[in-house]
Structure formats: structure tokens, C-alpha cells
Amino acid sequence: MALMTLKNVNKYYLSGSDLRFHALKNINLSFNKGELVSIIGESGSGKSTLMNLIGGLDRDFEGEILVDGVNIGTYNENQRVMYNKEKIGFVFQSFNLIPHLNVLENVALAMTLSNVSKKIRVERAKKILAEVGLEKHYYKKPNQLSGGQKQRVAIARSLVNDPEIIIADEPTGALDSETADQVLQIFSEIAASGKLVLLVTHSERVAARSSRIVTIADGSIISDQEYPENQVYHSKEHLSRFSLTSRPKNRNLSFFAAMKLAFLNMKEKFSRSVLIALGGSIGIMSIILMLSLGSGVNAYLTNLMQEQVNPVVSEVRMPEPEEQETSNSSTSEITGDPTGMPMDPAQNSPVMRNDNVPFEQSDLETLENIDGVASLEKGYSTFSLGNNSIMYNDRYRSFMNFITMSSMITTANLSEGEFPQEGEILITQGIADSIGEDSIGKEVTVTLMMDGVITETDMVISGIFASSDAVGPTAVFDSIYMNYADVEAIAQANDIELQPNVVYLVAEDAQANARVKEEIKTLGYQGSAMESIAKLFTDMIDIFTYILAGVAGLSLFVSAIMILTVLYISVVERTQEIGVIKATGGRKKDIRRIFVSESFLIGVFSGSFGVGFAYILSIIGNRVVEQQFGTTIFLVEYQFIVMGMVISILLSVIAGLLPSVCASRLDPVEALRHE
């Protein structure tokens, strides 16, 4: 049985909307192993069209092309791929070598697409290259070879998978006569190894070396002659030279092989690849820096707050009555002449007061019974403008914030002196400055408004509260601190029924305190004003951080468009390469995988550059800020790095999908003709 048989093969091309051009007309041919056949004819006669049909590059025909008795016109996609991998080897007129691969890699391409192990494909490629006289040129690039050497590389590539049929399109068209004779001798030896060699040519010189000449004109076979004097004879010597002793199992292109092909192409266009990666890195760097800035500022505020308060103590206040809510403050009120200015509290001047809602006994019992609470401390605080003041000799200073001492306050809050004992107070630095030097130990007169009653009492200053680093009202307003027992004594002396309006719950440990805080919210009570203000700041910082990160993210959109454009350009530049890959058994999926791998690598490099730049700039920024303000504000967390890398890769891969699909859909015949 003949190796290949063509039965009534017809090929039509659309010529206009309804017209069809009859390119091949009732072709009937039969070919056997070991033949060296020249298919000759003028340009436009149909010989290249016939070659494309036989090679499986064009499946749109009528009739039958039988190979080993099977009609290749009925092949599905996978069968066509295996046909190109195992049965057919192409040698192109313009060589169609891939410029960014060396000689060895070009020859091994078909085995790379078949996912053959590196050891086997390298050994096979070297063996075939040695047979065609190129054993000294394994690692040269195609542009370092002569025309004859390039054609030998193309021949070696067609032989590497040990196909049964070799199709050569004008194999000597670009060669001088001496080199052409050498190439024709190689084809004769290939035929002698038992392979069918089809030379598509218009050269009489090539035809004269063939054992059979098929002449085609206007799409029809006009002659089919054999030349016994040129008949090649099989020999074991030639068989061992060009054939595989054992055929490795053909599989599909692996992800890592596709990645290597993509990397080699990027390496060939190194400058362009670096610029693309740098362009994409700007957005990644900006997003990481913005998130790091927000995280750093939040961490600074959190640490600062934790330094100011005891981590096992929770501050609790009663919820504000809904009916008292106003646009300014839930319990604020203005009294006195609205046109006047705050003066001595004894005068009738405008004042503004904010008193917290007092606790009932039932509330205290409820809070004290929360699981994890070790003890409960009563407290009293008030915020007032124009009511409270402190007097030393003839020096008068009003203050706005009055708070009782509690376990919430730690030694970190003390800049000078000691915590107050009975009859003593703690003041902030602003009040201390108004009194003068050495304010500690001085006796002062404190005027307080409690439950609408103005009280006066003499107290001794025990220390100065470190308000310069505080978070909350104390950081802004002058404040004094007094023991609750002293407040009770003042209330009793002025016939005031004192009820605590703030409570401090001391938890068993820090973990228990976290649970206590959650339970406080669940029961409907309010937490620390300091925590509320800090949370407000952190929420605002988060909002601004995400807004800035979103603005920075716009550059990622520009990067995606840039990557998509560059990959489209790459598809155009590599059109012939795509045709070669398809002709040597590459699947559409393989083409997509190669281009997606390239976009993946661009994403990896962009992300890496972005992360690196962000890290370096954060170090520089932190050093500058630390020198100026004694703190750091950029906190690059590992999740930001991971997120930056993931965004960069996903964006690049998504941008590369459309060009990769376009590349995979290219017609191999048209791709091979592309200049």
C-alpha cells in the first residue's frame, strides 16, 4: 500500500462574493516511501497549494488525501497536530528559523512542542545537526549563519521528530549552485533512509536530481514521470543516520517549556521588555506606597494610644439620650450672655458645658459582672468652656477638660512629678507654663462646675501630664486630673449628689480586655472618647489611603493597555514563527500558552520592580521623617507585597489574553507567507 494517495482532490478559493477560483482540479497521485519527488510548475500553477494540503496546513479541500489509508481531511484538531508532529517535516524556502533561538533550539523546537525531555531532544538535535555538517554551530543564532547553513538547520529541524514525509518548498531558491548541490545530496540521502521526500520547485536543476517528476499547470497534473537512473536505494546506513531507534512519547507543550520560549523572546528584545516592566511597575509601586503610608500612620496612632493607656483597662460611658442629640453635641449647652467672652468663672459670662450621662447603680452592677472584669473603678469627667479654672496667686488659667485618675493612666503619661495623692492634682503642660517655673508642689485654687454648681477648693500640684504625645482631647485642651475620692469630698462639701459619669473596667488580662470591650458595645454602652477619636482618625486615613491607592491604580490601566499593545506588536513580529510552530505540530493552546507566558513574565518583572522601588522609597521616606519628627510612617507589610505581585501578574495576563487568542487563530499558510 502506498504511503500517500490523493484521490480526486479539488481546491477552491473564494474570489469575490459568489465566485470560486478552482486552484486544484481532480488531483490523483500516489507516493511511496523512499521516493525523491519533484513537483514542478510555474508560479501560480498550484504546487504550493498542493504542498499545503499534503502537509495538513490547509484542510479545506474536496476529495481524499490518504496517509497510511486514513483520510487526513477527516482529522480533528488533535489528530492534525499529531500528523504534523509525527508524519510531516517542512523545509521552507526562506528557512523560517526563529531568530531568538540558537541552532540547537531551532532544531529541537518540534520535540519541545512535544514536551520531550531536554536530554533526549538535545541528543537528537545534535545527532541530526552532525549529519548535515553543523556540529560546530550548535549555539549560534540564525543571523550568524550563511544561507546554506540556514537551509541545513531547516532540514535538520524537519528531521528531528523522524517524520515519514519531508516537504521542501523551493529548497535551493536562495542558494548558490555549489550549496544547492550539497543540499540536494542531503535530500537524496534522506530519501535513501526510506522517507518520502517531496520537493516543490520550479527549478529544472532540482528536478534533474529526482527519481520522479510531477508537473502541474493551472491546477492540473499534466505529467508524472519516473527516472530510474535517479532512483535512490534504501540502506541501513542511511536509515540509522536519520531515523530514531525509539520514538519518545509525544505529549503537549508544558507550561515551563512555554515559559522558556517566552523568556527567550523577551531576552532577545531586552530593552523593550525592561521598559514595559518599568512602566507597569509605577502603578504597583504607587499602590504599595499608599497602602504602606496608611498602615504606618494607623500603626503610629495605635501605638501612641496604647502607650497612653493601660492595655487591660476599658473606659465606659453611658449612651447619650437620643432626645438630647443636636448638631453640635449631645449634651452641650450655652449659658450667659452670648455676646460676651469667657472670663473669670465668678462673672456672668457665656459658657459651654458637656457633662456625661451619670451611671445608675444597676449599670454599675451590670458592668462589674461582665466576664473577665477583675474590678470596677468609678470616675468623673467634664468638658467645659468658661466654667473651670485654676488660680495661682494672681495668675488665672481656664481649662476645659477635667478627669479623675484611674488605672487607665500609666507612667508613660507622666512627664514630671508624681501621680496625685489625696488633695493633689495633675496638670497639663499649658497650665504649668501659665503658673511659671517649678509648678510642682505649688498650692492652687481650682474652680470646678459640678452638676451646675460652681465649687472652689485648694489643691497641690503633684505632677505634669505628658500631653504633647497624647491622643484625644488632652492633646488639644488644657486638663487637670484629680482622684475620685477628692471629687467626692468636694461634692459632699457643696451638697452635690455625685454620680459617676465614667467607669473604668480593669480586665484580668489584655485578651480578656478585648472581650470586655466587645461586651460593652453589645450592652449598648459607649467606649473611650480617646478610642473613638483615634478610630475616627484611622477611618479617615483609611479612606484617604484607598482613594490615593485608587488614583495610583489608574496607572495600572495604562500599563495594561501598553502591555496589550506591545503583545499585539509581538504577534505581528512573530507571525512567521507562529506559522512554523503550527507547521511543526503546535496547537492553538500552545500558541496561547506561549504568549500568555510572556505576559505572565512581564507581570512578574513589573511586580518585582514595583515592590523593589516601593521598599527602597519607603526606607528613604522613613529616614527623612524620622530625622524630622522622630518616627516612621511607611509600613510595608508582606500582604501589600503579595497583593502587588498578584495584581501585576493578573493585570498582565488579562492584557495578554486577547493578543494570544489572535495569535492562536492565525492561519498557518498565511502566517508562513508573512514578510
Side-chain angles (χ1 to χ4, degrees):
M1 183 176 68
L3 173 61
M4 176 180 288
T5 303
L6 284 72
K7 295 182 178 180
N8 299 317
V9 174
N10 288 271
K11 171 66 180 177
Y12 296 90
Y13 289 109
L14 288 176
S15 178
S17 58
D18 298 320
L19 299 176
R20 293 200 305 169
F21 172 69
H22 203 171
L24 292 178
K25 305 168 184 175
N26 296 317
I27 303 297
N28 290 279
L29 290 169
S30 181
F31 302 108
N32 295 302
K33 292 182 179 181
E35 286 190 290
L36 180 60
V37 183
S38 285
I39 301 175
I40 65 172
E42 299 298 327
S43 296
S45 61
K47 60 184 185 298
S48 294
T49 300
L50 181 61
M51 176 196 74
N52 293 332
L53 295 181
I54 292 172
L57 300 181
D58 187 348
R59 294 184 292 168
D60 183 17
F61 64 91
E62 296 177 2
E64 294 181 316
I65 301 177
L66 305 175
V67 178
D68 291 332
V70 180
N71 183 11
I72 68 172
T74 63
Y75 282 170
N76 58 30
E77 179 70 17
N78 289 334
Q79 289 172 321
R80 185 198 63 77
V81 167
M82 296 308 296
Y83 176 72
N84 286 112
K85 282 182 178 179
E86 298 182 348
K87 293 289 186 180
I88 298 291
F90 281 99
V91 181
F92 305 102
Q93 178 182 1
S94 55
F95 320 126
N96 284 351
L97 301 179
I98 299 175
H100 58 267
L101 302 181
N102 61 35
V103 168
L104 197 64
E105 290 165 339
N106 265 284
V107 172
L109 177 63
M111 300 187 88
T112 301
L113 294 172
S114 298
N115 200 23
V116 176
S117 69
K118 182 178 179 180
K119 180 181 179 181
I120 293 175
R121 67 175 184 259
V122 168
E123 288 178 356
R124 173 65 176 169
K126 285 184 176 180
K127 179 180 183 297
I128 294 297
L129 283 168
E131 293 296 341
V132 297
L134 293 176
E135 61 272 12
K136 295 181 180 179
H137 304 280
Y138 294 153
Y139 302 104
K140 288 183 178 179
K141 293 291 181 66
N143 60 5
Q144 297 174 293
L145 304 177
S146 66
Q149 289 172 330
K150 290 179 181 177
Q151 191 63 291
R152 292 186 185 203
V153 174
I155 293 171
R157 181 179 60 193
S158 72
L159 291 167
V160 74
N161 262 356
D162 193 18
E164 297 182 33
I165 304 167
I166 302 295
I167 302 175
D169 182 18
E170 299 288 359
T172 62
L175 306 178
D176 59 67
S177 57
E178 182 180 353
T179 305
D181 286 337
Q182 295 172 355
V183 169
L184 289 173
Q185 180 59 35
I186 293 174
F187 281 123
S188 296
E189 294 171 356
I190 293 171
S193 71
K195 301 181 185 302
L196 169 62
V197 180
L198 301 176
L199 307 177
V200 180
T201 183
H202 64 269
S203 170
E204 296 293 338
R205 180 190 182 93
V206 173
R209 297 285 297 269
S210 304
S211 61
R212 179 180 170 187
I213 300 176
V214 176
T215 305
I216 186 171
D218 296 326
S220 299
I221 304 298
I222 60 174
S223 71
D224 184 357
Q225 296 179 315
E226 294 187 2
Y227 294 87
E229 65 274 17
N230 293 334
Q231 181 67 45
V232 293
Y233 297 96
H234 301 185
S235 68
K236 291 183 178 180
E237 177 187 353
H238 290 118
L239 183 65
S240 63
R241 287 177 60 189
F242 299 111
S243 300
L244 287 165
T245 54
S246 62
R247 182 181 295 276
K249 182 179 179 181
N250 276 323
R251 293 172 291 178
N252 296 318
L253 180 71
S254 69
F255 173 78
F256 294 105
M259 196 73 69
K260 181 180 179 182
L261 291 173
F263 179 77
L264 290 173
N265 179 65
M266 291 178 65
K267 184 179 177 183
E268 183 73 11
K269 300 174 179 64
F270 179 78
S271 298
R272 186 171 76 182
S273 300
V274 169
L275 289 175
I276 296 169
L278 287 174
S281 69
I282 294 174
I284 301 299
M285 174 192 69
S286 302
I287 289 176
I288 293 176
L289 281 178
M290 291 303 101
L291 293 176
S292 299
L293 176 62
S295 179
V297 173
N298 278 336
Y300 169 75
L301 289 175
T302 301
N303 292 336
L304 192 60
M305 187 178 68
Q306 289 178 347
E307 288 175 359
Q308 301 297 316
V309 299
N310 192 325
V312 299
V313 179
S314 296
E315 180 181 319
V316 188
R317 297 173 186 266
M318 287 290 290
E320 301 289 352
E322 294 183 5
E323 62 272 12
Q324 293 186 15
E325 289 185 356
T326 68
S327 59
N328 292 322
S329 175
S330 58
T331 58
S332 294
E333 61 174 316
I334 297 178
T335 62
D337 183 0
T339 62
M341 295 295 292
M343 298 174 64
D344 190 308
Q347 302 179 22
N348 185 22
S349 59
V351 296
M352 183 176 72
R353 186 175 76 249
N354 186 325
D355 294 324
N356 296 312
V357 178
F359 284 87
E360 301 292 341
Q361 184 60 34
S362 59
D363 295 311
L364 299 178
E365 292 174 358
T366 299
L367 292 171
E368 193 170 16
N369 291 327
I370 292 176
D371 183 37
V373 172
S375 63
L376 180 146
E377 298 176 0
K378 297 178 182 180
Y380 186 83
S381 72
T382 181
F383 177 81
S384 177
L385 176 62
N387 291 301
N388 303 330
S389 65
I390 189 168
M391 183 79 71
Y392 174 71
N393 293 334
D394 58 347
R395 298 176 186 176
Y396 163 82
R397 177 77 175 217
S398 65
F399 61 89
M400 300 180 187
N401 210 34
F402 170 69
I403 310 169
T404 55
M405 293 294 295
S406 68
S407 299
M408 176 74 77
I409 300 173
T410 66
T411 54
N413 304 120
L414 200 64
S415 62
E416 293 182 46
E418 303 289 340
F419 284 149
Q421 302 299 320
E422 183 179 354
E424 295 180 337
I425 60 172
L426 196 66
I427 62 174
T428 51
Q429 188 65 51
I431 299 175
D433 292 340
S434 67
I435 292 174
E437 296 182 359
D438 300 325
S439 59
I440 297 176
K442 299 289 192 302
E443 186 177 78
V444 296
T445 300
V446 178
T447 301
L448 291 174
M449 178 173 280
M450 298 174 60
D451 197 23
V453 178
I454 294 178
T455 67
E456 287 188 1
T457 185
D458 293 334
M459 305 292 287
V460 176
I461 298 173
S462 68
I464 299 175
F465 190 91
S467 59
S468 59
D469 294 327
V471 177
T474 307
V476 181
F477 306 119
D478 288 335
S479 307
I480 69 167
Y481 296 80
M482 186 185 300
N483 288 311
Y484 188 76
D486 288 328
V487 177
E488 284 184 314
I490 294 172
Q492 186 176 2
N494 290 274
D495 295 325
I496 299 171
E497 184 180 352
L498 181 68
Q499 290 179 289
N501 61 8
V502 61
V503 167
Y504 301 96
L505 301 180
V506 182
E508 296 170 352
D509 51 42
Q511 287 185 339
N513 192 39
R515 297 195 303 271
V516 169
K517 288 180 183 292
E518 290 298 322
E519 184 64 19
I520 290 170
K521 293 179 182 179
T522 302
L523 292 172
Y525 297 98
Q526 293 182 348
S528 165
M530 185 183 297
E531 290 179 353
S532 299
I533 293 174
K535 186 177 186 304
L536 177 62
F537 276 116
T538 56
D539 287 345
M540 291 176 61
I541 291 168
D542 285 341
I543 292 171
F544 284 118
T545 298
Y546 292 134
I547 290 174
L548 291 173
V551 172
L554 291 176
S555 62
L556 292 178
F557 179 72
V558 177
S559 301
I561 295 176
M562 177 181 63
I563 292 169
L564 187 147
T565 303
V566 169
L567 287 177
Y568 261 124
I569 294 172
S570 183
V571 170
V572 175
E573 290 176 341
R574 299 166 67 184
T575 298
Q576 278 193 342
E577 176 187 340
I578 294 167
V580 171
I581 291 174
K582 287 197 168 187
T584 51
R587 303 170 300 163
K588 290 182 179 180
K589 186 176 181 179
D590 295 334
I591 305 294
R592 290 196 299 269
R593 184 170 287 178
I594 291 170
F595 280 89
V596 169
S597 296
E598 188 167 334
S599 62
F600 174 84
L601 289 174
I602 290 173
V604 170
F605 293 139
S606 295
S608 300
F609 285 150
V611 169
F613 292 149
Y615 186 74
I616 292 170
L617 289 177
S618 68
I619 292 175
I620 295 172
N622 280 335
R623 287 184 178 177
V624 172
V625 173
E626 191 170 14
Q627 289 176 355
Q628 295 294 324
F629 304 103
T631 186
T632 58
I633 60 170
F634 290 101
L635 180 60
V636 181
E637 300 183 28
Y638 77 93
Q639 57 263 40
F640 299 158
I641 295 174
V642 173
M643 185 188 70
M645 291 297 298
V646 170
I647 290 176
S648 178
I649 292 171
L650 281 178
L651 200 66
S652 297
V653 170
I654 291 171
L657 286 177
L658 188 58
S660 69
V661 170
C662 293
S664 68
R665 291 179 177 176
L666 287 176
D667 180 80
V669 176
E670 296 300 324
L672 290 167
R673 290 175 182 168
H674 183 79
E675 295 296 333

